Amino acid sequence: MAGSLRDRLIVGLDVPTVKDAEAVVRELDGVASFYKIGYQLAFAGGLDFARELASGGTNVFLDMKLLDIDNTVARGVENIVRMGVSMLTLHAYPKAMRAAVEAAKGSDLCLLAVTVLTSMDAQDVVEAGYEYDPHTLVLRRAEQALAAGMGGIVCSAAEASAVRKVVGPKLALVTPGIRPAGAERGDQKRVVTPADALRNGSSHLVVARPIIGAVDRRAAAEAILAEMANA
């Protein structure tokens, strides 16, 4: 799914209201063409906004991280397909992934498997009850996503190179936790610069705070695209 640099930069609309999101999209008109809508905005009217963006030809990444019984996941995916969005996340549990793939069959929706959240480190994974370290768990889930027929993987760019070796060249590899050179890490624990992420095999970069929180959002997005071009 990788195309031009603009198509590979996904701006996270991590803002509290649709009005705020509309302002971001206006400011980035002509610079960004792909937006992520997650829980915060989704539960404030963001799902209707996602439909509106998609109907106008804008790429939308719906970051819902679905996980439920097979039938519930399948029925949810069927309705999300009708929204016209480009990408949807699920937690990388094999049964849920298989149900989602079957439900999305024949559509253009790219299903993404969330491996290990980029806000989690080794201690967090242990605390959650997993026997694997984050790197091992990411690779295991990437293998399961590939076997299930998913369209891509969400992982840290620090693991992108290893994941790319597992899933091959065709799957989308979407990496959050991207921070431009010199930016603050925030609550992310496994972060990488835009250029390094692309070199590591990422197909799409998700950037929220460094753009949304910038005084000049347009300039911030253009600077990130320039970093990506240097890769």
Side-chain angles (χ1 to χ4, degrees):
M1 289 189 62
S4 70
L5 290 180
R6 273 184 55 190
D7 295 332
R8 300 175 70 182
L9 172 63
I10 303 175
V11 178
L13 294 176
D14 296 342
V15 292
T17 70
V18 170
K19 185 177 179 180
D20 293 325
E22 289 171 339
V24 173
V25 173
R26 281 196 305 271
E27 289 178 50
L28 297 180
D29 182 43
V31 176
S33 61
F34 212 143
Y35 294 95
K36 176 182 77 73
I37 293 178
Y39 289 156
Q40 181 183 20
L41 189 59
F43 299 140
L47 295 181
D48 287 335
F49 185 55
R51 290 187 186 91
E52 180 184 331
L53 287 175
S55 66
T58 299
N59 289 316
V60 176
F61 168 18
L62 200 58
D63 190 16
M64 293 289 96
K65 300 183 180 72
L66 300 183
L67 179 61
D68 213 309
I69 62 173
D70 298 1
N71 185 65
T72 300
V73 168
R75 300 294 85 79
V77 169
E78 286 172 358
N79 281 334
I80 290 168
V81 165
R82 297 186 186 103
M83 292 175 64
V85 300
S86 302
M87 289 179 167
L88 169 70
T89 50
L90 296 87
H91 281 292
Y93 285 64
K95 287 188 70 180
M97 290 190 291
R98 290 193 292 267
V101 167
E102 182 63 27
K105 188 175 294 183
S107 76
D108 293 328
L109 179 63
C110 179
L111 296 171
L112 301 172
V114 176
T115 53
V116 177
L117 299 177
T118 53
S119 60
M120 298 178 71
D121 59 17
Q123 183 56 43
D124 296 321
V125 171
V126 170
E127 188 177 6
Y130 293 102
E131 62 179 300
Y132 304 107
D133 62 272
H135 184 77
T136 302
L137 184 56
V138 165
L139 296 186
R140 177 171 173 76
R141 287 181 162 174
E143 290 173 351
Q144 292 171 329
L146 179 65
M150 295 286 281
I153 309 290
V154 179
C155 68
S156 164
E159 292 135 6
S161 179
V163 170
R164 183 59 77 191
K165 292 176 182 176
V166 170
V167 302
K170 293 184 179 179
L171 265 65
L173 217 169
V174 180
T175 51
I178 301 297
R179 292 291 185 268
E184 294 183 2
R185 296 168 67 94
D187 57 2
Q188 300 285 8
K189 294 181 179 178
R190 289 160 29 243
V191 299
V192 171
T193 66
D196 284 342
L198 293 182
R199 293 189 191 105
N200 287 352
S202 299
S203 63
H204 298 76
L205 312 185
V206 180
V207 184
R209 197 172 308 172
I211 293 176
I212 301 301
V215 174
D216 188 336
R217 291 166 173 162
R218 193 177 185 88
E222 288 173 340
I224 289 169
L225 287 169
E227 283 195 49
M228 293 169 66
N230 288 334

